[in-house]
Amino acid sequence: MANQTDKLVKGGSFIIEDVACDAIFTPEDYSDEQKMIAKTAENFVENEVLPEIEHLENHEFQRSVKLLKKAGELGLLRADVPEQYGGLSLDKISSALIAEKMSKAGGFGITHGAHVGIGSLPIVLFGNEDQKQKYLPLLATGEKLAAYALTEPGSGSDALGAKTTAKLNKEGTHYILNGEKQWITNAGFADVFVVYAKIDGQQFSAFIVERDFPGVFTGAEEKKMGIKSSSTRTLILEDAEVPVANLLGVAGKGHVIAFNILNIGRYKLGVGVVGGAKHAFGLTVKYANQRQQFETPISQFNLTKEKLGTMASKIYASESSVYRTVGMFEERMNRLSEEEVNNGKAVADSIAEYAIECSLNKFFATEVLDHVVDEGVQLHGGYGFMQEYEIERAYRDSRINRIFEGTNEINRLLVSGTYLRKALKNELPLFQKAQALQEELLMMMPEEPGDEPLAQEKYLVKNAKKIALLATGLAAQKFGKALDKEQEILVNIADMVSNAYAMESVVLRTEKAIQKTGLEKNKQKLLYTQIFCQEAFGDIEKDAKETLVATEQGDTLRMLTSALRKFTRFTPVNVIAKKREAADKLIESERFIV
Amino acid sequence: MNIYVLLKRTFDTEEKITISGGRINEDEAEFIINPYDEYAVEEAIQVRDTHGGEVTVVSVGTEEAEKQLRTALAMGADKAVLINVEDDVEDGDQFSTSKILAEFLKDKEADLIIGGNVAIDGGSGQVGPRVADQLDIPYVTTITKLEINEGAVTVTRDVEGDSEVIKTSLPVLVTAQQGLNEPRYPSLPGIMKAKKKPLEELELDDLDLEEEDVEAKTKTIEVYLPPQKEAGKVLSGDLSDQVKELVNLLHTEAKVI
């Protein structure tokens, strides 16, 4: 990783800058200790949680509580809690690895994530000394369990439209909360809820609400499509009495907490779904080896290989992107002084810096998971439709990921919206770069990349960024402030940016691995990189074309589409052959390997 | 009590194993603490927690085994020793390993030495007994229970599904069978502490051994995977015909009678 004297990576800057492979974190950089932590989490899930999964799916939540306490004994709830409050102050990579491994347990992974993430982190980051002393040691061991209550029946993506109110009582000792919070994960057993309410109907604020406070109730268990082994209920506040000491952060500044926790939730979700995708892939490739039709294991059919190759190259892309982002957090956190770490604000700012990456990882990785479980069911055939097969649960469990922590649509709009804001505020010289690019266009001749490994893919990454930049610049120029109404274009921009990030992440990861251990040991990575880059580049081309046509007309459009053709001209590799080759290795190993 | 654990790094037989060029493909294999040695580590920790003392984990192998030793430290062992034979021993066998271990242990005044009853890769089950023999101390293999009372040792051992109780005394070497205990996973605080625990690395030189002293006494002729399981056969017809057919097949096809 970059050393201390290097400047930190600016959020979103990858789209206008060249990034070197030794500047990013990759899964090949895990330390032995991080691997050991991951192994403990994995063993815990496999030996303790999975044998109970049927019971958990049937809403026997006393078992979830027991399992969480067991996880607490192993230290699996302590990663993100500072040492002075009974935690372990672990690095962000370790904490991400725990989330990845936990996700194998489907709904229980969500239970764990809600407790250690959105449940505990608001207190870790924004609690005052007394609040931290009082709650964190208990949350770190699992003696008390946490939940996060933001969504209401009438406000989901529009979080600040909350109707729940808080009013200081006459004595000035308690806030009286009234309202309903909907779809609250862990509500069935949580002891501590972080709840958002508007003081006097105006000041959006966060509170720490204990289950035992007068006026706190929960509704019936929801009947969900998936993640059934997590508890989801409504939190009902009827003149709930919350001591004034339990106001979290500053009155009226609840949005600061809410937005930062959303960022964290997104990036943790990105990590979690990588684990889910690897697991679903393993189930599928094993099944494809066992299942015989026409006296042949179905894994031997080329169409199966096509599917396996596509799935694995996408998983490689989401893993590479997500851990690259986690690495950037870790890098930034390492620079914080102890004081800064303790006040939480600086930590939250570090995360907010990467809001773009958080959002694009979220929608990209959750859609990779959705693709993998969908093809997983398909390769299981009729059996995949039957509940005896784990892939059936994985398929149902996957669906919510595209909805919660901000729908994927909202996250796409956030990516392009944040870019435009950063450009307008001159935090990133986006428009300047786009302008320069337009001038360069007319003179430009298509390049012919060399034939050494990754040369072609690097060329594609370079052009992918230019295309995304060009389209963004043109759309901003054309629509100005009204661009926020052009949601289709904003989504195209987000998709181009996201694909460019993922392409670059796989190229850099593979390059770093080859530099470290040679080409021979990294052939599989190279195959994934070739497959993914070519296919993602195709998507970028399509998004760019659509955007140009919706933006310009006549001669300008003709000029621009011919310029786009210069950027998109390349000699394709035989993706069918590459997928067969990648699949052969996967079929032999019966799991996702790199 | 001065406790030593003999630990081997092996590939995980629960993962798919492939062979190329007459060797197990190490690139794709997952490596673990030999599961029987894991029982040994757990037992050593429990004995130490009851009787006091120190647990040292020893492995003969390559640098790679450091990971498994760290895992044992994270479980709760106090010290680790890696006898790195990477440059000195090419194709060692149970003779080589036991010779090296005995040489290392001879002046350590161990009260209790615990190993796994067998390694899931080589599967000889000989290293423990050979070490005990060279140290001239008693040994009991495949144990499922260990009680220590002031130097008196009561051991229950598994004998083909039955059990046998043996009384002996310290110092003693025992090898662990499944059922002895339930090995713990390293906890996260344990993992953090393991970083700071001592892990000493030795080579043959440090033990005053020469390469020829530990040269293998066996030779591996061939390595191959067990045959693929074939689809079963369902016999039909009259019951007595089926029996005849079965006996016939056992003779001619399976060749087991």
Side-chain angles (χ1 to χ4, degrees):
Chain A
M1 296 213 55
N3 62 41
Q4 292 288 313
T5 53
D6 289 347
K7 70 177 188 348
L8 285 165
V9 179
K10 269 188 131 174
S13 65
F14 65 90
I15 203 73
I16 46 170
E17 272 165 26
D18 292 330
V19 182
C21 72
D22 54 5
I24 73 158
F25 182 84
T26 72
E28 283 65 51
D29 301 324
Y30 297 146
S31 69
D32 286 345
E33 194 180 284
Q34 286 162 345
K35 285 184 200 160
M36 220 188 282
I37 288 170
K39 191 82 199 160
T40 287
E42 192 172 17
N43 284 338
F44 171 74
V45 170
E46 271 174 18
N47 303 333
E48 312 284 335
V49 185
L50 291 182
E52 302 230 13
I53 204 85
E54 287 276 313
H55 297 287
L56 301 178
E57 289 281 299
N58 287 327
H59 291 181
E60 293 173 38
F61 295 126
Q62 71 284 7
R63 290 174 190 260
S64 313
V65 173
K66 240 193 225 154
L67 284 169
L68 280 172
K69 294 197 195 291
K70 223 179 222 176
E73 284 164 27
L74 286 170
L76 292 168
L77 309 179
R78 295 167 64 184
D80 290 322
V81 177
E83 263 177 307
Q84 65 265 45
Y85 307 109
L88 293 170
S89 302
L90 282 189
D91 62 280
K92 297 298 145 203
I93 311 286
S94 300
S95 150
L97 278 167
I98 295 172
E100 182 189 322
K101 298 299 175 189
M102 283 288 171
S103 69
K104 213 180 200 178
F108 182 80
I110 303 289
T111 300
H112 172 267
H115 170 72
V116 299
I118 55 179
S120 299
L121 286 178
I123 304 177
V124 171
L125 297 177
F126 299 98
N128 60 33
E129 186 58 28
D130 288 345
Q131 290 165 343
K132 288 187 196 175
Q133 298 255 13
K134 183 169 176 195
Y135 292 106
L136 293 183
L138 299 171
L139 296 175
T141 56
E143 276 166 82
K144 289 217 185 280
L145 299 171
Y148 184 73
L150 173 64
T151 301
E152 296 188 4
S155 62
S157 299
D158 176 22
L160 300 186
K163 296 259 187 322
T164 300
T165 58
K167 205 169 169 47
L168 198 60
N169 64 1
K170 265 186 250 140
E171 298 77 12
T173 57
H174 289 76
Y175 284 102
I176 308 301
L177 268 59
N178 278 289
E180 282 190 7
K181 293 288 171 179
Q182 187 172 253
W183 301 330
I184 306 310
T185 302
N186 291 356
F189 47 79
D191 308 285
V192 178
F193 297 83
V194 171
V195 177
Y196 292 88
K198 283 184 176 164
I199 299 174
D200 302 327
Q202 301 285 326
Q203 292 179 295
F204 189 73
S205 311
F207 299 87
I208 305 171
V209 177
E210 291 184 32
R211 183 179 211 94
D212 297 337
F213 289 167
V216 178
F217 311 94
T218 56
E221 270 302 321
E222 299 288 350
K223 295 186 176 122
K224 297 172 300 205
M225 176 194 284
I227 56 166
K228 288 174 189 278
S229 51
S230 67
S231 165
T232 310
R233 298 180 180 205
T234 296
L235 175 70
I236 302 161
L237 304 159
E238 282 177 6
D239 291 328
E241 296 173 26
V242 180
V244 286
N246 280 29
L247 172 69
L248 187 61
V250 181
K253 296 270 182 208
H255 62 280
V256 176
I257 303 178
F259 291 146
N260 279 299
I261 297 303
L262 272 171
N263 274 331
I264 295 172
R266 279 166 196 155
Y267 113 81
K268 288 247 172 178
L269 184 63
V271 175
V273 294
V274 167
K278 286 187 196 170
H279 183 56
F281 182 87
L283 293 173
T284 302
V285 67
K286 266 193 204 95
Y287 181 82
N289 274 345
Q290 281 158 15
R291 174 71 173 168
Q292 301 221 353
Q293 289 289 278
F294 311 104
E295 289 173 9
T296 311
I298 61 166
S299 60
Q300 290 311 310
F301 295 116
N302 283 331
L303 200 47
T304 305
K305 293 185 185 178
E306 191 280 330
K307 288 182 190 292
L308 294 174
T310 309
M311 289 154 87
S313 68
K314 284 179 187 248
I315 298 172
Y316 184 66
S318 68
E319 184 183 48
S320 308
S321 306
V322 166
Y323 279 96
R324 175 183 176 188
T325 309
V326 180
M328 299 196 300
F329 282 131
E330 179 57 19
E331 189 73 13
R332 213 162 247 268
M333 303 289 181
N334 275 339
R335 309 289 179 89
L336 300 179
S337 67
E338 203 174 318
E339 200 181 321
E340 284 175 314
V341 168
N342 283 337
N343 89 16
K345 173 81 173 65
V347 176
D349 286 347
S350 303
I351 292 168
E353 175 67 28
Y354 300 117
I356 289 176
E357 285 84 352
C358 285
S359 282
L360 59 84
N361 280 331
K362 194 272 179 181
F363 70 76
F364 179 73
T366 57
E367 286 169 21
V368 167
L369 173 64
D370 238 16
H371 173 87
V372 171
V373 294
D374 187 71
E375 291 285 52
V377 168
Q378 196 67 16
L379 283 169
H380 276 72
Y383 290 101
F385 203 63
M386 300 299 142
Q387 298 202 336
E388 299 99 277
Y389 286 80
E390 201 183 334
I391 194 73
E392 185 268 349
R393 175 172 64 75
Y395 180 83
R396 285 185 290 104
D397 284 350
S398 169
R399 192 61 185 81
I400 187 63
N401 292 305
R402 282 168 49 203
I403 299 170
F404 63 14
E405 301 297 348
T407 62
N408 283 13
E409 290 70 22
I410 285 283
N411 274 294
R412 282 186 163 84
L413 295 176
L414 275 170
V415 167
S416 26
T418 310
Y419 260 122
L420 292 168
R421 213 187 51 241
K422 283 194 181 221
L424 286 171
K425 285 176 33 189
N426 261 327
E427 284 174 29
L428 287 177
L430 214 60
F431 296 149
Q432 293 86 321
K433 292 264 180 185
Q435 190 65 43
L437 198 59
Q438 281 182 42
E439 281 154 23
E440 176 193 323
L441 265 184
L442 299 171
M443 341 277 285
M444 206 195 63
M445 295 300 290
E447 283 172 50
E448 201 47 60
D451 50 11
E452 67 273 20
L454 294 175
Q456 164 104 314
E457 289 69 33
K458 283 183 172 179
Y459 175 71
L460 292 182
V461 168
K462 193 171 80 178
N463 284 359
K465 290 182 181 185
K466 285 187 177 169
I467 294 169
L469 204 52
L470 180 71
T472 309
L474 282 170
Q477 224 170 34
K478 173 84 181 182
F479 297 103
K481 282 218 156 64
L483 183 55
D484 65 352
K485 297 275 181 291
E486 305 297 320
Q487 293 190 324
E488 303 92 327
I489 289 180
L490 292 174
V491 164
N492 282 348
I493 291 172
D495 281 331
M496 286 187 274
V497 168
S498 155
N499 272 321
Y501 186 72
M503 285 168 68
E504 184 174 64
S505 302
V506 296
V507 168
L508 295 177
R509 176 179 176 185
T510 304
E511 187 184 14
K512 194 173 186 181
I514 291 174
Q515 279 181 10
K516 211 157 134 189
T517 51
L519 183 60
E520 194 55 35
K521 285 205 151 115
N522 294 294
K523 278 188 173 157
Q524 193 75 1
K525 295 190 188 76
L526 184 61
L527 287 170
Y528 294 150
T529 306
Q530 291 167 324
I531 296 166
F532 181 78
C533 283
Q534 187 156 310
E535 300 205 321
F537 193 76
D539 292 339
I540 290 178
E541 184 179 357
K542 186 179 137 285
D543 287 332
K545 217 180 259 171
E546 193 179 285
T547 304
L548 293 186
V549 173
T551 308
E552 292 292 349
Q553 293 148 3
D555 283 346
T556 322
L557 177 60
R558 263 191 295 282
M559 190 274 286
L560 284 169
T561 39
S562 88
L564 179 65
R565 269 199 296 278
K566 285 187 199 165
F567 280 133
T568 55
R569 195 173 302 157
F570 69 99
T571 316
V573 295
N574 181 355
V575 162
I576 292 177
K578 298 280 175 195
K579 284 183 185 171
R580 284 187 193 175
E581 200 183 334
D584 284 340
K585 200 85 179 175
L586 293 159
I587 290 163
E588 193 181 291
S589 313
E590 290 197 327
R591 63 196 162 101
F592 174 75
I593 52 150
V594 295
Chain B
M1 196 175 302
N2 198 7
I3 310 165
Y4 281 82
V5 178
L6 314 180
L7 179 148
K8 185 177 189 181
R9 165 185 186 261
T10 64
F11 45 78
D12 189 349
T13 48
E14 283 185 20
E15 299 288 337
K16 199 166 173 185
I17 287 170
T18 57
I19 289 181
S20 62
R23 279 180 179 270
I24 307 242
N25 228 334
E26 299 217 336
D27 274 357
E28 278 142 48
E30 289 276 312
F31 286 88
I32 55 171
I33 297 179
N34 174 40
Y36 294 99
D37 300 349
E38 224 170 17
Y39 298 123
V41 175
E42 176 65 34
E43 197 63 17
I45 294 168
Q46 289 185 16
V47 170
R48 178 204 61 197
D49 289 350
T50 318
H51 300 278
E54 196 177 62
V55 175
T56 308
V57 193
V58 194
S59 190
V60 175
T62 66
E63 209 182 0
E64 297 288 323
E66 218 185 290
K67 283 185 198 137
Q68 283 65 37
L69 288 172
R70 282 276 173 224
T71 306
L73 293 174
M75 286 171 75
D78 302 287
K79 295 195 308 200
V81 177
L82 169 64
I83 306 173
N84 191 340
V85 294
E86 199 159 10
D87 301 330
D88 301 322
V89 183
E90 204 168 312
D91 282 306
D93 66 358
Q94 47 277 19
F95 165 78
S96 327
T97 308
S98 58
K99 177 91 188 173
I100 296 165
L101 285 170
E103 205 57 36
F104 168 76
L105 287 163
K106 69 178 186 199
D107 56 359
K108 296 290 184 290
E109 293 179 358
D111 298 302
L112 176 65
I113 303 172
I114 317 183
N117 90 77
V118 68
I120 57 169
D121 53 359
S124 78
Q126 290 190 23
V127 171
R130 279 174 182 267
V131 169
D133 184 60
Q134 289 172 71
L135 296 175
D136 202 18
I137 60 170
Y139 70 87
V140 185
T141 57
T142 58
I143 72 161
T144 54
K145 196 171 171 193
L146 175 68
E147 285 169 292
I148 299 171
N149 206 337
E150 311 265 332
V153 181
T154 311
V155 185
T156 306
R157 76 182 284 260
D158 173 49
V159 273
E160 317 256 326
D162 233 326
S163 62
E164 187 173 82
V165 178
I166 294 173
K167 285 188 191 299
T168 178
S169 59
L170 296 177
V172 66
L173 182 147
V174 294
T175 68
Q177 171 66 305
Q178 188 171 11
L180 177 62
N181 54 45
E182 193 62 54
R184 69 194 70 190
Y185 328 119
S187 72
L188 270 51
I191 294 169
M192 312 282 281
K193 272 186 222 144
K195 247 193 321 198
K196 296 178 194 113
K197 291 181 180 175
L199 194 158
E200 188 186 3
E201 196 177 322
L202 302 173
E203 289 188 19
L204 285 194
D205 265 3
D206 303 307
L207 300 172
D208 286 327
L209 282 171
E210 299 297 328
E211 280 168 49
E212 16 336 330
D213 298 336
V214 299
E215 221 165 76
K217 301 277 190 198
T218 58
K219 223 165 150 184
T220 302
I221 310 292
E222 199 187 341
V223 176
Y224 54 91
L225 290 171
Q228 284 273 344
K229 206 179 154 209
E230 306 255 337
K233 210 175 248 179
V234 180
L235 303 177
S236 59
D238 199 53
L239 188 62
S240 60
D241 289 342
Q242 286 190 44
V243 172
K244 272 184 213 147
E245 175 70 4
L246 176 64
V247 172
N248 180 36
L249 287 172
L250 288 174
H251 263 296
T252 56
E253 212 168 278
K255 294 183 179 138
V256 290
I257 46 175

